């Protein structure tokens, strides 16, 4: 029976997941049919985020997988969700799994895509995160051009006052000054920066897919949503994708279905729930590869010689 490793993953400002002090436990066996010679993954090189949109996303950096493994097996306990990922040329891997904060992930190297032969497992706990869902807006009193940020709940409470009054938070309380709602993102934890010049969105190809890539704050979760043409009144089903950026902040969504003029919303989050402002990117129209004339129809009487 292999010696299992139990680790609690706690967010840090440095976002360096120092998972030291691994304790050998007396319990915990892999479900593999047989045990290869390689040991457990290196949890210091694995990043796991708190659930976003009901899914837990993670990334194994170079050196995370044990020598000899070609795949990584991941299982969530107690719900039993599992996934098997193939290592890339650098030995890295990404994964998305159905789990909750506080669930335990079993991670082990495997020799095939079925995960039937696996090495020694290691275990880590999914963090619960510190993400705040409070929305802030800029509050103005009278004709003032300088306001103070307040929560939407505070605004609604002021609007329901029976005396007809409306008071904004006192700036002396520490609330951020503002002139627009966008500036109140600071109160929502939107402190990370995104450089538009380091983001790339390709035009749709012949199959209707685009690629989104770029460089952001290293080891952050990149959240990407295609809102389609909802900005001009044509809503569609919106699916949010996520990917953990690498040590240099690199990320790539290689295949996303999109059309010209679709609106993409991109935001990054760190392990402490600190975010960037949500940025809007527009998909360019696809290049015209050619066209066929299927017919000619007169819209006015034809004139001889013309």
């Amino acid at each position: 029976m292999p010696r299992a490793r139990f680790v609690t993953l706690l967010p840090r400002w440095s976002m360096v997941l120092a998972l030291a002090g691994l304790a050998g436990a007396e319990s915990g066996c892999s479900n593999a049919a047989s045990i290869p010679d390689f040991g457990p993954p290196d949890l210091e090189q694995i990043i796991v985020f708190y659930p976003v949109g009901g899914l837990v996303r993670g990334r194994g950096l170079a050196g995370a997988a044990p020598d000899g493994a070609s795949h990584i097996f991941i299982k969530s306990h107690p719900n039993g969700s599992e996934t098997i990922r193939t290592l890339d040329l650098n030995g890295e891997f990404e994964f998305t799994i159905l789990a909750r904060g506080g669930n335990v992930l079993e991670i082990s190297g495997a020799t095939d895509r079925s995960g039937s032969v696996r090495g020694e497992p290691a275990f880590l706990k999914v963090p619960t995160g510190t993400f705040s869902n409070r929305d802030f807006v800029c509050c103005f009193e009278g004709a003032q051009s300088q306001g103070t940020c307040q929560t939407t709940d505070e605004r609604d409470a002021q609007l329901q006052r029976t005396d007809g009054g409306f008071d904004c938070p006192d700036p002396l309380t520490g609330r951020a000054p503002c002139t627009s709602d966008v500036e109140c993102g600071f109160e929502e934890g939107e402190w990370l920066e995104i450089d538009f010049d380091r983001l790339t969105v390709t035009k749709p190809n012949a199959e209707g897919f685009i690629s989104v890539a770029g460089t952001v704050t290293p080891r952050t979760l990149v959240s990407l949503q295609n809102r389609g043409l909802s900005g001009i009144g044509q809503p569609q089903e919106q699916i949010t994708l996520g990917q953990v950026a690498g040590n240099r902040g690199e990320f790539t969504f290689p295949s996303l279905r999109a059309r010209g003029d679709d609106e993409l919303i991109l935001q990054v989050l760190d392990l402490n729930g600190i975010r960037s402002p949500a940025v809007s990117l527009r998909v360019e129209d696809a290049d015209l590869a050619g066209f066929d004339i299927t017919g000619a129809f007169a819209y006015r009487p034809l004139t001889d010689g013309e």
Side-chain angles (χ1 to χ4, degrees):
M1 180 182 297
R3 296 174 67 83
R5 298 189 176 191
F6 293 86
V7 177
T8 297
L9 180 61
L10 297 177
R12 296 185 177 181
W13 283 102
S14 62
M15 291 188 297
V16 176
L17 309 186
L19 301 173
L22 304 181
E26 296 300 327
S27 63
C29 293
S30 170
N31 295 325
S34 60
I35 305 297
D37 293 334
F38 50 81
D42 184 357
L43 293 182
E44 292 186 1
Q45 301 302 320
I46 298 178
I47 307 168
V48 175
F49 267 77
Y50 47 83
V52 176
L55 297 173
V56 170
R57 296 172 173 89
R59 179 168 185 157
L61 303 172
D67 293 337
S70 60
H71 296 73
I72 287 289
F73 171 84
I74 304 168
K75 184 172 183 177
S76 173
H77 300 279
N79 67 335
S81 298
E82 60 182 55
T83 183
I84 300 174
R85 308 300 299 169
T86 303
L87 301 180
D88 66 15
L89 296 178
N90 297 320
E92 299 188 20
F93 61 91
E94 301 169 9
F95 67 90
T96 299
I97 193 167
L98 182 64
R100 292 183 175 183
N103 286 174
V104 174
L105 299 185
E106 173 190 353
I107 306 177
S108 57
T111 58
D112 55 43
R113 65 179 58 196
S114 68
S116 59
V117 179
R118 306 196 294 273
E120 181 180 350
F123 298 83
L124 61 81
K125 193 173 184 180
V126 177
T128 55
T130 56
F131 188 82
S132 173
N133 290 321
R134 291 197 304 169
D135 293 324
F136 283 80
V137 293
C138 192
C139 178
F140 300 94
E141 290 185 6
Q144 293 181 347
S145 59
Q146 180 77 27
T148 309
C149 293
Q150 68 173 171
T151 67
T152 53
D153 290 340
E154 291 171 336
R155 177 197 60 191
D156 294 342
Q158 290 290 326
L159 291 173
Q160 294 173 8
R161 284 173 52 172
T162 57
D163 61 1
F166 192 98
D167 297 323
C168 292
D170 190 334
L172 296 179
T173 62
R175 287 289 177 83
C178 58
T179 57
S180 66
D181 291 345
V182 174
E183 297 174 7
C184 292
F186 179 85
E187 294 283 1
E188 298 174 4
E190 295 181 348
W191 303 347
L192 300 181
E193 296 183 357
I194 291 185
D195 185 352
F196 278 89
D197 294 335
R198 307 187 77 180
L199 303 176
T200 302
V201 179
T202 64
K203 297 179 180 180
N205 60 18
E207 288 73 38
F209 290 91
I210 65 171
S211 173
V212 182
T215 303
V216 293
T217 303
R219 294 177 172 234
T220 53
L221 176 64
V222 183
S223 174
L224 179 66
Q225 181 184 68
N226 182 5
R227 291 186 177 175
L229 302 175
S230 58
I232 57 175
Q234 297 185 25
Q236 66 178 35
E237 181 182 3
Q238 298 176 4
I239 299 176
T240 301
L241 304 177
Q243 183 184 122
V244 179
N247 265 337
R248 298 179 300 277
E250 71 282 1
F251 73 90
T252 301
F253 293 92
S255 184
L256 175 67
R257 184 172 292 279
R259 302 166 297 178
D261 291 328
D262 277 359
E263 181 188 22
L264 306 179
I265 302 298
L266 188 145
Q267 189 174 39
V268 300
L269 312 90
D270 72 9
L271 282 168
N272 294 291
I274 305 303
R275 300 167 286 171
S276 72
V279 299
S280 175
L281 305 169
R282 188 180 66 85
V283 178
E284 294 187 32
D285 291 331
D287 292 328
L288 180 63
F291 63 93
D292 295 324
I293 298 178
T294 59
F297 305 91
Y299 62 95
R300 66 180 180 181
L302 299 179
T303 301
D304 291 342
E306 295 185 3

